[in-house]
Amino acid sequence: MAGAKNHQYHILPPSIWPLFGSMSALVLASGSIMWMHSMAAANLVFFAGVAGILITFFGWWSQVIQEAHAGDHTPVVQLHLRYGMILFIASEVMFFVGWFWAWFDFALFPSTVEAVGGMWPPKGMHVVNAWEFPLLNTLILLCSGCTITWSHHALLHNQRGGALKGLWGLLGVGENDGVKKGLWLTIILGLIFSSVQAYEYMESPFPFKAASEGGSSYGGAFFMATGFHGFHVLVGTIFLIVNLVRVYKGDFTPRQHFGFEAAAWYWHFVDVVWLFLFASIYVWGGWGAAVH
């Protein structure tokens, strides 16, 4: 029969979201450039682009969820969605390769100008104590990796209990509902990590400024690497919150839960990157310098 479907692939219908999203990205980039040049109405253009991007996120991903409920996410489609997520995480890895490259370039080949003195950290620089807040955040992220794994394992084994009284009951979490418990704990740990990092930045002994403005290459490389990771933690936390809402709505099953799996992969990626940051920037990068 003409038009009959005899394959497992999902042929997407025409959609406005790719065009709308690309135009929003163009507006966002234009607003950013205008803002850098202090042009009139730059903030309006910038936030219009941000709003367009957020609308695209909501509309496009809502459409993907509807396709999943309609049964369009066959095993073949789910496999290719996983390939897409793997490639996305690989592209994020390349971002961090750039920051690590800059850090090790500065550290292994320090400038001989007077401000740096041919040493790393630069002469007279006080560094963040790796064994205080950075170590605490390392333990927090390691624990969060365990809780998201617990939640994923519970989802695979369909561990959902009835609602109970008490704190978990107020949150609509059952006695054996490891999915919601693990997600709640992971989100809370992610928020604690971000709070601790924000406090660490406020108490930092060096500023995020250009060398010509009283800053240093050490501060620039430090804040770009750790701050970019902090941004990923915020994105990952939002990712997990969205999945928590979907869990409450009953969107996931043991056989079909790609959205949850993608969030778990992303969170583990964030965990692993932090371990490298802690070892190379906080411990090795500040070795031998005066501690703040």
Side-chain angles (χ1 to χ4, degrees):
M1 180 186 298
K5 182 176 178 181
N6 56 2
H7 55 78
Q8 297 188 59
Y9 296 93
H10 173 48
I11 307 301
L12 296 173
S15 174
I16 189 62
W17 296 119
L19 176 61
F20 187 84
S22 61
M23 296 304 297
S24 299
L26 176 62
V27 173
L28 176 64
S30 301
S32 302
I33 295 171
M34 292 170 64
W35 208 333
M36 294 174 190
H37 291 276
S38 302
M39 298 175 66
N43 55 343
L44 295 177
V45 176
F46 176 82
F47 286 111
V50 172
I53 292 292
L54 294 177
I55 292 171
T56 303
F57 287 168
F58 182 82
W60 203 340
W61 288 335
S62 296
Q63 198 171 54
V64 173
I65 292 173
Q66 293 169 6
E67 293 165 358
H69 289 319
D72 294 326
H73 288 181
T74 63
V76 171
V77 173
Q78 291 186 49
L79 177 63
H80 292 172
L81 288 173
R82 288 179 172 84
Y83 286 160
M85 190 63 192
I86 291 171
L87 290 175
F88 170 70
I89 292 176
S91 70
E92 293 293 288
V93 170
M94 292 300 103
F95 271 116
F96 282 101
V97 167
W99 304 134
F100 279 111
W101 191 298
W103 177 266
F104 283 106
D105 182 53
F106 286 139
L108 298 175
F109 307 100
S111 172
T112 56
V113 298
E114 184 177 355
V116 179
M119 54 188 296
W120 190 265
K123 183 173 56 179
M125 171 73 70
H126 285 70
V127 300
V128 176
N129 189 344
W131 309 111
E132 293 182 351
F133 287 124
L135 178 60
L136 173 62
N137 265 349
T138 302
L139 297 176
I140 288 172
L141 277 190
L142 288 175
C143 289
S144 72
C146 295
T147 55
I148 191 62
T149 301
W150 171 33
S151 182
H152 191 192
H153 178 83
L155 178 57
L156 291 173
H157 291 79
N158 203 24
Q159 295 176 4
R160 303 167 185 272
L164 297 173
K165 295 181 180 179
L167 176 59
W168 287 118
L170 292 174
L171 297 175
V173 180
E175 181 179 8
N176 299 318
D177 198 342
V179 182
K180 293 175 184 174
K181 286 180 180 179
L183 267 178
W184 270 110
L185 291 174
T186 307
I187 291 168
I188 291 171
L189 289 169
L191 294 174
I192 293 174
F193 175 94
S194 298
S195 301
V196 172
Q197 187 174 51
Y199 181 78
E200 176 193 311
Y201 280 5
M202 289 188 293
E203 297 296 317
S204 173
F206 45 84
F208 182 27
K209 295 181 180 179
S212 59
E213 299 176 356
S216 65
S217 55
Y218 184 94
F222 173 89
F223 283 113
M224 285 306 301
T226 60
F228 195 62
H229 175 271
F231 171 74
H232 279 70
V233 171
L234 292 175
V235 171
T237 303
I238 295 172
F239 203 170
L240 293 173
I241 291 173
V242 171
N243 276 276
L244 180 63
V245 173
R246 295 189 63 194
V247 167
Y248 276 96
K249 293 175 65 178
D251 283 354
F252 300 128
T253 68
R255 293 180 61 85
Q256 184 166 309
H257 53 270
F258 167 73
F260 184 100
E261 194 169 20
W265 287 0
Y266 188 85
W267 196 256
H268 288 307
F269 155 70
V270 168
D271 287 352
V272 172
V273 169
W274 176 258
L275 293 178
F276 282 100
L277 286 171
F278 176 72
S280 60
I281 291 182
Y282 286 101
V283 179
W284 180 81
W287 197 270
V291 176
H292 175 59

